[in-house]
Amino acid sequence: MPSLNVASEVYTADSVLIGRYFEEDRDPVPYDSISKNIIDALIATEDVRFYKHQGVDFIGLFSSAVSTLKGDRRGASTITQQLAKNLYRTRYTQAQGLLGRIPGVKIIITKFKEWMTAAKLESKYSKDEILTMYLNTVSFGNNAYGIKSAAVRYFDKLPNALTVPEAAVLVGMLKGTTLYNPIRNPEKSLERRNVVLSQMQKEGFITAAEMASFAKQPLNLHANTQETGGNNDSYLRTAVERWLEKWAEENNINIYTAGLKIYTTIDSRMQEIAVAAADEHMRDLQRRLDNTWGSELPWRDKSGAVIPNFLEDRVRKLPIYAELMKKYQNEDSVFRELNRPKKMTVFTWDGEKEKELSTMDSLKHYLTMLNTGMMAMNPNTGAIKVWVGGINHKHYKFDHVNQAKRQAGSTFKPFVYITALEQGMSPCDTYDDIPVRIDFVNKKGEKEVWEPKNADWNFSHRSMSLRWAMARSLNTITTQVTRDVGWDKVVEMAHRLGIGSHLESVPSVGLGSNDVTVYEMVKAYAVFMNEGKTIDPILVSKIYDSEGKLIASFEPKQKQVVTPENAWLMSYMLRGTIEEPRGTSQALWEWDLFKNNNQIGGKTGTSSDYVDGWYMGVTKDLIAGVWVGCDEQSIHFKNSASGEGSKTALPIYGKFMEELYKHPNLGVTMGPFPDPKVKITKNYTCHSVYYEESTTVDSTDTVEEPMGELDSETLPNLPEISENEF
């Protein structure tokens, strides 16, 4: 049987189809999976003598010639001839020999080839097999090849469930997939459907009464493009596709034609819970950001001044600007056109809305939308269970899990403390919360001074354990620890744990001055719950070929990077953000998360001017990372009360875990962290005394102005904060 280009399918770990990769969207089905209504409509319309000829219908050919002479052009190709044409591309130039290039001879040669091929097909295959091959190869428009893809695309059902009118619509398209396309030309499609129904009545497949009834029915389309299953499903499909490209190249396999069955590690139920949690909170956050700025322009520089020509500079990067410049050759004319209102459909949290907006209005709308990225992984197996790349893939293609790199803020601080533990310190070693001055020489050989402040601009002058200091996210103590262990060593440790991005080795590195991805952060935090071993996150677990044979399976690589003792101590320190006085994760108490002796560790993070909000959550079963912010980093919240990580990212984690714990069958259950498997030689049971202080803020990041966060303009040698493309 001739090979076909068959779409590859992507499934979750619990066998839910989430996507297809194809050049031709085709998923072949056997004869007994095709509705008899399709067979009847096809024979009645395309080849009424199908069961009486052997591939070429000479009676039909003679009848067609007579009709053509009378002015009524009628085709004479049998279903078998059409199959020959589809299988072997007989009408394509590359299928033509030398004789086929002679004017007037080409059609004769082509027809003769089709007759010969049809006769051979009839000699080798049964009539049912020929019908099956035909219906699995023919195009139904909208890149739907084969009856199954067409049934799903236009009616969202399998081909064995198609009704007579639905079958007539699809068979009617074979005369012209564009002209009779029910989505593009519904009136023409309805007219053609009724012609097919008339042919079915004429050949006795339906009665006159049925014909009259069916002809009165509307098309009843249920269009399914298989790309709109959810707001962010396509982020996952695209991430899998990017991963598969390298594998496919190494194995000389075309994933778009090979008909593979690809199983991911994603749990569709956990993914659904994560998407719902993110959507619910992002809707509220967007309202909060819009209210923050009101009628003011939100794009601001470090001093808080409006950035001039902000929209104009960004629209100049868009293809529409280049097209209009080519048309008008004058920028004034271009901007007049760009400011002209017109009807368009835009994404909102209340669904897509049709609005009267100019291109500039639309650009402002999309640039001021907050986005998010979330990933959750089993720290012991490396299986990625959740992948939320953004708020809506249709409108924001950029994946905020493994493409977007943003300042990590205080979520980077644990890398300082694990470095300290590896150098011999213990969670109970103490530092004083006092003003800090760092004198150093930058890369240019110039002397610089850095004096970081806590986020609330206060110094308690108290002696604090490392666990308490990390729980409080104190910049002063983190800076002192960074100084003592060496910021080069902090960078080295971060890379060892799994951070692949470039990190500038500067005194502020421990306060999150570098850009990283959610993916990298989840991988790095997993070390603390995996006995000190780094583990490669796994997104694809198994791949089967078109025959159902397992051709590849994937297991994570692990490597011991810190001692099991220090890894366990870090998990204990991460719990401190919940357990220590004024720990920065205590906002999680708002959710029902702490029954059954459940333990959670985590770390908030906020970058300069509240541009980036982070939360890293750790339980015995799951490591999760959440980022929130605008793609345009000059658009952000104004203050810590609304813009810090504990207000933007942490609630998504809280909502997600609360709902997830209601479904213990998914494998994530409440309970304490595992006991250490090695002897703990360091002191860690130090006691922190609660005391009254001024109003609490999320001291997740450094400041150089009251109530601020990491200010890259005042810190030494910080890397440029690049703006993501719109």
Side-chain angles (χ1 to χ4, degrees), residues 574-617:
L574 285 168
R575 279 167 40 198
T577 63
I578 296 286
E579 299 168 355
E580 294 281 355
R582 292 182 61 195
T584 57
S585 294
Q586 290 176 0
L588 286 177
W589 290 345
E590 179 181 339
W591 290 276
D592 188 16
L593 302 175
F594 297 101
K595 298 180 296 187
N596 304 323
N597 196 27
N598 192 43
Q599 291 177 333
I600 296 177
K603 192 70 196 72
T604 53
T606 317
S607 67
S608 333
D609 302 320
Y610 318 101
V611 171
D612 304 293
W614 288 78
Y615 191 72
M616 300 298 303

Side-chain angles (χ1 to χ4, degrees), residues 40-324:
D40 292 345
L42 179 65
I43 291 174
T45 308
E46 297 293 323
D47 192 355
V48 294
R49 290 175 46 79
F50 176 71
Y51 289 105
K52 298 178 180 178
H53 62 67
Q54 297 301 311
V56 181
D57 183 7
F58 291 104
I59 295 176
L61 184 64
F62 177 76
S63 176
S64 173
V66 173
S67 297
T68 300
L69 290 173
K70 294 180 178 180
D72 179 18
R73 295 182 61 84
R74 185 184 303 172
S77 291
T78 63
I79 289 174
T80 316
Q81 285 176 251
Q82 293 178 48
L83 173 61
K85 180 178 67 175
N86 293 339
L87 287 178
Y88 300 104
R89 306 290 201 271
T90 57
R91 303 295 175 94
Y92 286 61
T93 301
Q94 56 265 35
Q96 305 296 324
L98 290 176
L99 291 176
R101 299 178 185 177
I102 302 174
V105 177
K106 176 179 179 179
I107 187 62
I108 298 174
I109 296 296
T110 299
K111 277 291 184 182
F112 184 73
K113 284 184 176 182
E114 290 173 4
W115 290 350
M116 293 291 290
T117 306
K120 289 183 178 181
L121 287 171
E122 290 274 353
S123 69
K124 295 180 72 68
Y125 302 106
S126 69
K127 291 290 186 177
D128 287 353
E129 287 175 323
I130 289 172
L131 285 172
T132 303
M133 279 194 284
Y134 176 82
L135 287 169
N136 280 324
T137 58
V138 70
S139 170
F140 288 90
N142 287 92
N143 206 12
Y145 289 80
I147 189 61
K148 181 178 178 181
S149 293
V152 172
R153 186 66 49 87
Y154 297 108
F155 297 105
D156 199 19
K157 58 172 60 175
L158 294 176
N160 61 357
L162 291 168
T163 65
V164 171
E166 291 167 348
V169 169
L170 297 181
V171 170
M173 291 180 67
L174 300 178
K175 186 176 178 66
T177 55
T178 299
L179 180 61
Y180 300 114
N181 189 299
I183 295 175
R184 298 180 183 179
N185 298 305
E187 293 181 0
K188 286 287 186 182
S189 176
L190 188 64
E191 180 182 315
R192 177 62 183 166
R193 180 203 68 179
N194 290 345
V195 170
V196 175
L197 291 172
S198 177
Q199 286 295 112
M200 293 180 73
Q201 180 202 345
K202 179 181 176 182
E203 299 303 324
F205 292 115
I206 59 175
T207 66
E210 288 174 325
M211 158 66 192
S213 174
F214 293 148
K216 294 177 182 178
Q217 295 182 16
L219 290 175
N220 291 323
L221 293 182
H222 294 281
N224 179 358
T225 65
Q226 299 185 351
E227 295 295 325
T228 57
N231 285 346
N232 70 80
D233 286 348
S234 292
Y235 292 109
L236 177 56
R237 290 196 293 270
T238 304
V240 174
E241 185 176 16
R242 282 196 299 268
W243 184 91
L244 282 170
E245 284 174 352
K246 182 180 179 182
W247 175 85
E249 183 178 351
E250 292 172 349
N251 292 274
N252 195 29
I253 292 176
N254 187 340
I255 64 171
Y256 305 100
T257 62
L260 304 176
K261 298 291 185 290
I262 302 151
Y263 284 85
T264 70
T265 58
I266 298 293
D267 188 295
S268 68
R269 299 155 296 182
M270 291 174 65
Q271 178 81 2
E272 185 177 344
I273 292 170
V275 170
D279 285 357
E280 179 184 351
H281 188 61
M282 292 302 292
R283 179 192 300 269
D284 293 338
L285 277 183
Q286 188 63 50
R287 190 181 304 115
R288 186 192 305 170
L289 180 65
D290 294 342
N291 291 338
T292 293
W293 292 102
S295 60
E296 298 179 79
L297 295 177
W299 37 86
R300 306 291 173 124
D301 61 21
K302 287 292 181 182
S303 68
V306 174
I307 300 173
N309 301 313
F310 177 83
L311 283 181
E312 289 78 4
D313 289 343
R314 275 140 191 84
V315 81
R316 290 185 179 102
K317 300 176 183 178
L318 299 180
I320 189 173
Y321 175 84
E323 293 172 11
L324 291 175

Side-chain angles (χ1 to χ4, degrees), residues 512-532:
S513 57
N514 285 286
D515 293 344
V516 294
T517 66
V518 172
Y519 179 95
E520 292 173 315
M521 293 296 285
V522 171
K523 179 181 179 181
Y525 270 66
V527 173
F528 307 141
M529 298 301 293
N530 191 36
E531 302 176 28

Side-chain angles (χ1 to χ4, degrees), residues 505-553:
S505 182
V506 291
S508 61
V509 64
L511 306 184
S513 57
N514 285 286
D515 293 344
V516 294
T517 66
V518 172
Y519 179 95
E520 292 173 315
M521 293 296 285
V522 171
K523 179 181 179 181
Y525 270 66
V527 173
F528 307 141
M529 298 301 293
N530 191 36
E531 302 176 28
K533 297 187 289 290
T534 185
I535 189 166
D536 289 336
I538 297 294
L539 185 56
V540 174
S541 60
K542 292 180 173 62
I543 301 177
Y544 295 84
D545 66 15
S546 59
E547 302 298 322
K549 178 183 176 183
L550 179 66
I551 59 173
S553 61

Side-chain angles (χ1 to χ4, degrees), residues 272-425:
E272 185 177 344
I273 292 170
V275 170
D279 285 357
E280 179 184 351
H281 188 61
M282 292 302 292
R283 179 192 300 269
D284 293 338
L285 277 183
Q286 188 63 50
R287 190 181 304 115
R288 186 192 305 170
L289 180 65
D290 294 342
N291 291 338
T292 293
W293 292 102
S295 60
E296 298 179 79
L297 295 177
W299 37 86
R300 306 291 173 124
D301 61 21
K302 287 292 181 182
S303 68
V306 174
I307 300 173
N309 301 313
F310 177 83
L311 283 181
E312 289 78 4
D313 289 343
R314 275 140 191 84
V315 81
R316 290 185 179 102
K317 300 176 183 178
L318 299 180
I320 189 173
Y321 175 84
E323 293 172 11
L324 291 175
M325 278 298 292
K326 187 176 181 180
K327 177 179 179 180
Y328 292 110
Q329 303 291 316
N330 179 286
E331 192 171 69
D332 289 340
S333 300
V334 168
F335 276 105
R336 274 197 298 272
E337 180 66 21
L338 291 172
N339 280 289
R340 183 176 60 82
K342 52 184 177 290
K343 283 188 177 181
M344 62 177 67
T345 302
V346 296
F347 166 74
T348 75
W349 281 109
D350 295 319
E352 290 191 336
K353 301 285 186 182
E354 188 173 279
K355 296 187 176 184
E356 191 87 9
L357 297 174
S358 69
T359 299
M360 301 299 284
D361 294 331
S362 173
L363 181 60
K364 177 183 177 182
H365 170 78
Y366 284 113
L367 290 179
T368 53
M369 292 287 287
L370 285 163
N371 225 308
T372 189
M374 179 179 181
M375 173 178 154
M377 181 182 85
N378 183 309
N380 305 119
T381 67
I384 300 173
K385 310 308 293 183
V386 165
W387 186 295
V388 180
I391 57 174
N392 188 287
H393 187 266
K394 179 179 178 181
H395 298 279
Y396 295 92
K397 302 296 185 187
F398 203 58
D399 193 316
H400 299 85
V401 170
N402 69 344
Q403 287 184 307
K405 293 187 176 185
R406 304 299 288 253
Q407 281 192 338
S410 287
T411 56
F412 210 86
K413 287 178 179 174
F415 306 151
V416 174
Y417 291 94
I418 185 62
T419 306
L421 295 182
E422 285 283 287
Q423 291 190 11
M425 296 188 197

